Amino acid sequence: MLRLPKFRYLQPDSIGAAIRMMADNGPDAMFVAGGTDLYPNMKRRQQTPKVVIGLAQINDLRTTKGQLKDGVVLGANLTLSEVTDDSRIRHAYPAVARAAELISTPLLRNMGSIGGNLLLDTRCNYYDQNYEWRKAIHFCMKKDGDICWVAPSSPRCWAVQSSDCAPVMVAIGAKVKLVSSSGERMIPAAELYNDDGIRHLNKRPDELLTEIHLPAVNGWRATYWKLRRRGSFDFPVLGVAVSLKLSKDKTVEDSKIILGGVGSYPIEAATAEKIIAGKKLTEEIIREAAQAAYQPAKPLDNTDFAMTWRKEMARYYVAGTLRELAKL
Amino acid sequence: MAGNNGGKRSLRVVGKPFVKVDAKAKCIGELKFADDLFLPRMLHTKLLRSTVPHARIVHIDVSKAKAYPGVHAVLTGADLPPITYGALPVSEDEYPLAVGKVRMVGDPVAAVAAVDEDVATEALDLVAVEYEPLSVVTSIQDAYATAEPRIHEYGEFGNIHRRQAYEFGSIEAGFAEADYVREDITFYEGSTHLALEQHASLAQFSHDGKLTLWTSTQDMHYLHRHLAKVLQMPASHIRVIATPNGGGFGGKCDPFNHEIVVCKLAMVTGRPVKICLTREEVFYCHRGRHPVLMSTKTGYKKDGSITAMHHRTILDGGAYGGHGVASTFYTGILQPTTYKLPNYRFEAVRVFTNKAPCGPKRGHGTPQPRWAQEIQMDKIADQLGLDPAEMRKQHAIAPNSITANWIRIGTLSLRQCIDKVVAGSGWKDKFRKLAYGKGIGIACSAYMTGTQTPIYYNKLPHSGVQLKLDRSGGVCVFCGSAEIGQGSDSILAYIVAEVLGIDPFDIRVVTGDTDLTPVDLGSYSSRVTLMTGNAAIEAAERARHMLREAVAAKLEVPPERLSFADRRVFDSENPEKGVSFVDAVCLAEEKYGTLGTTGSYKPPAAPGKYKGATIGPSPAFSCTAAIAEVEVNPETGIIVVPRIWIAHDIGQAINPVLAVGQIEGCVYMGLGEALMEEMAYRGNRNLVHKFPSFLEYKSPTTLEMCDVITYLVEEPDANGPFGAKEVGQGPQLPVPPAIANAVYDAVGIRIDEVPITPDKVLKAIRAKAKGQEGRYGPSAFPTCPMPAAMVVPTPWQGGDGKALEGEPALTKK
Amino acid sequence: MKKVGKNGKRKLEKAHLRLRVNGEEVEVAFAPHKTLLEVLREDLRLTGTKHGCELGECGCCAVLVDGRPVLSCLALGVAMEGHEVTTVEGMAVGTELHPLQQTFAELGAAQCGYCTPGILLTAKALLEHIPRPSRDEIKEALAGNLCRCTGYIKILEAVELAAARMAGEKAEPAKETIYGWE
Ligand SMILES: Cc1cc2nc3c(=O)[nH]c(=O)nc-3n(C[C@H](O)[C@H](O)[C@H](O)COP(=O)(O)OP(=O)(O)OC[C@H]3O[C@@H](n4cnc5c(N)ncnc54)[C@H](O)[C@@H]3O)c2cc1C
Ligand code: SF4
Ligand code: FES
Ligand code: FES
């Protein structure tokens, strides 16, 4: 049986207590919500906190607040099932509900949290392996080693941003609230992520993610398409989140096209956004945008599927999402 | 009564959907698998595994681990007798713990027994191993090119483990007769069993010097022999108990290093010792489907009849022999059992590479050649403008015939199977008529019901059953078979109940215990129902005879007039007159003393007499036809399989609901191999397994599984119990090629290797659009020097089953 | 938590707590880094809960926590205080099998039986939530439970049959389910 290493487990019952415990324990401590990312990583000895601070008992992290007209605030520790089952979310933020619903399995969604999902460790199949396996390849720079096996000449880690909700949150312009003993800050989801497989979050380890602010819908429509091998279990090897604001005559007023799973952060397809700006989404424009959108996708050979095929699929998926939204 | 194929209507138990004897225990969580067993003072074991693919071991230092608190023993290869073992006598090339060198990442080097798994894991970190790396053999091509270093010191030469070459009839003459000849090079990727239960074993050494091992094994008997050999103990002092297997599929057939290691640790520590492997370690045990590269050159006439076939295979065997020599035979030897094949030449090579060893997985060596032939048949039909279903039907092998390689076929309703799926699927309205992107394809197969010879040479029974009856009316069946989920325990109860006219519920079944149960060779090669079933019939008939004599005397009716049914023994001419089954047993006990009977089974001799002729023959052959419907997205290459129709000639279903369940399971496994399953390695990174996990080794979920429309075709075979033939493996064979053929029907491209992944499909579609060949698959077939083939004249050449004079020795260069 | 103390002796630090498992209060002491899976199997000897990966990748270890199916291999035992845990051992009432257990047995939906406990519990939660699920809803609900033996078909049929019976119908399996098609 693959087991957890030893650690001290703390269960604060308020945000304040959680922050205090974190401050007291310093860099050896980590928060855990559903544990569906952290515990497998700990069992494989990829992450080895000495102290784990469980968030399950903090009720403030499990509420949904706000009016649809001003936007909705999701507590970071709502489970993915709670998010998808919430009829208001399904109705007003179908892309969020969809992304959450496409994560792994029903069993896992009953445990994993929306906050934990946004903070999910980047993934790479040279890294998501047991200690002994990694030892056999002499480790890699993300943990215990000093080289990147995916791109050995590269000075950086290319582990993949693999959260399904992250690209959606970026596309719809959600904000996240981070709280620590030195205060709190609210940043756009887009700013939460870095183009680096190791330092992939612009978040200090002691910061607690408390809330996710979904902006008022205000005429925007969004969708999310996920590519993976099987209809469940599997992480995205490509996720396309698109959010659009169309004028009355259906021209694109504004848009966000975000690609997940093909780089270390949710990648914005800015050229494609420019192509559709001020235009009606005809089949021709969609094709042109899709062609442009697939350029920034940088899949490498560290996930499931052949990387060239994954890159190509970006085109197909972007076209698909745009078509879906254009039909509305 | 073995092989009784009449009187079907009078069967009361056989052919009925009785609940399995262990079904409820499984559904309430009561059934104990090996890892569910706990003994007082039990220690836990972890194995230190090699982190290098090929190296000499320079030094191992276990002193720190031994001194670690909570550790009770640490073993290395030096602590065990220097005796090798392995599934087949011709390739006993494994040590329980590495001696001298390691041959793959994952080879066990040291073992720790400690108070719990945490301590054992911590102690592993304290074992220091110094390796001197050797160059690594990563692939078939590599093995051909690398004469030194050799992974093993035995075998043909270099890293060639085994070569086999046979010619039945004359392919030269056959090709000369042909209207066309084509050669196709195809590849079947390796895959693993992925049973949900991770292998687990628990050993106990008692102070009177006897050893007991509870273990998740399919082949308890062979394991028993290997334990005796390696531990140098009399087999009679070793008791092996095969715990119910949480899935086997061939993955728990080999004797495993961890099984021997826990025994040794129990002997060293005097305490019970358990091991349960992690999922990653299960990938290292492997023994799954061999990756096989094939070249199939076939001569055929305008009507699609085959005049000759030259079939060549190369197997990537991995680091050990295991069942590999048998697997090698199976990549060719059953080729002639499906369609008429008058002249056949078969050449096979198995190589060693520094990967997890391959072995028997559902269909053992035969899904690969079936793939090669079935997709080739589709190409032939296409070229000739024939309906591939009709063409197959036309050339299907005739029942009661002998093949070119001297395999006797009994009943075989392949034509009827084809008719069933053709009618059920609406084939005639769909084939080549569906819209672009949708397609339908057919494939067929035949498969053996057990092998004619045991793994080591002997003339002993393959299966034994003992019955105990006593005055309580209770009947207990003892048999050495291993229940792996296929329902073998239940089959024993059904058969004995049928013969004795009682309810299966009245019977207790004791299996899988070398102390208590007579030998059965194990759950492999689809042998269990046929062999244990026939042994059970014999034992039950002997018991019935005793009961009949005793009751006849009491009732004063001629014994032959007595019938057994509804828990009674009665005069068939005057059914009122009779006694209860309980009374019948009492009468017999009075007459004969304590009651017990035995039955045994040994397969009939096969007509082939040449060296190697013992591999392939079987008491009975099942056959299957499958039609798959697919949807291919031409823009992504993604394939969805909504439905598969499958008809299987099972002879007689002993329990139809279990038979249908086996077929559905076969379709599942075939679907997984066709579309996604793949044992992949990182050739550039120390040849580690690419993803030894449940998440990245892709296995279909409920959402990928197709609908299955199953037809049971029942053509009883004289050699099967009540006419029964196999159902556990054969139905998997036609599934991948049927899917590939359907992909061709859908988008006009040929994918000549599994898994058929979307990137390959898209590449072929693109190539076709550019006017190139719409195909994805291997194009080269490397050659290595082969021995002269053993030439065996066919029955229709007037052969006598022997090879021509001057049989060339197979093992020479 | 077990620690090696300064003098090399092992210090034991166990969490001692009260859990509700299958409707009963149990007191149990275990190392706090143990998962619910390990506590159930090793400390409570409820070995009906199986494991196939311990990483959330197979679904074998599913149990119900407050009626919801979750992966016991990724939940901490100590986090279960105050929650109601149901394992396969808690499905039958007395000698009365749960209708799902009955139909799984009838249709041979448990071949090797190793995936069965996790699937039974997941299906139980489904039927409590959606009493008459469609085939697709059942597939969705069970998409996190791998089975290598059955191809899922008998499992899906058994869930449908149990649902019908739980709704008070005198349902019998379809003829094709048992005998195949004509
Ligand atoms: C088999 C399997 C399949 C999966 N498939 C997918 C998939 O398809 N798509 C996908 O997106 N994910 C997938 N996941 C990953 C993961 O389960 C989900 O992303 C889940 O939502 C993570 O949430 P959690 O609450 O369990 O995270 P945890 O494991 O609890 O935490 C994840 C990380 O976030 C930190 N953290 C959690 N909450 C906070 C907080 N409030 N403040 C600060 N830090 C915090 C933790 O320290 C940890 O580093 C899969 C996981 C597994 C095991
Ligand atoms: S991308 Fe490179 S450095 Fe990053 S996890 Fe993978 S192998 Fe390691
Ligand atoms: S044991 Fe595999 S999901 Fe928990
Ligand atoms: S019944 Fe064996 S894994 Fe499902």
Side-chain angles (χ1 to χ4, degrees), chain C residues 114-177:
Chain C
Y114 204 79
C115 66
T116 310
I119 290 184
L120 284 170
L121 290 162
T122 311
K124 176 178 188 292
L126 168 71
L127 296 186
E128 273 155 24
H129 188 55
I130 310 177
R132 293 305 295 267
S134 67
R135 176 67 65 107
D136 282 344
E137 284 169 324
I138 303 171
K139 283 187 181 175
E140 281 293 339
L142 297 180
N145 301 80
L146 287 174
C147 169
R148 287 289 284 177
C149 296
T150 61
Y152 307 106
I153 308 232
K154 291 279 167 279
I155 291 173
L156 303 174
E157 289 168 342
V159 175
E160 284 166 354
L161 185 59
R165 288 188 187 160
M166 286 164 79
E169 287 175 28
K170 268 206 151 49
E172 288 304 321
K175 195 166 157 278
E176 293 78 29
T177 297

Side-chain angles (χ1 to χ4, degrees), chain A residues 122-128 137 139-143 146-152 154 156-160 197-198 264 300-302:
Chain A
T122 50
R123 297 184 60 85
C124 167
N125 56 23
Y126 286 92
Y127 165 69
D128 293 298
I137 63 156
F139 304 104
C140 76
M141 69 167 78
K142 190 158 158 73
K143 176 74 179 156
D146 45 22
I147 192 171
C148 171
W149 294 118
V150 179
S154 138
R156 60 166 283 195
C157 161
W158 296 91
V160 182
I198 295 172
S264 294
L300 291 170
D301 185 21
N302 59 351

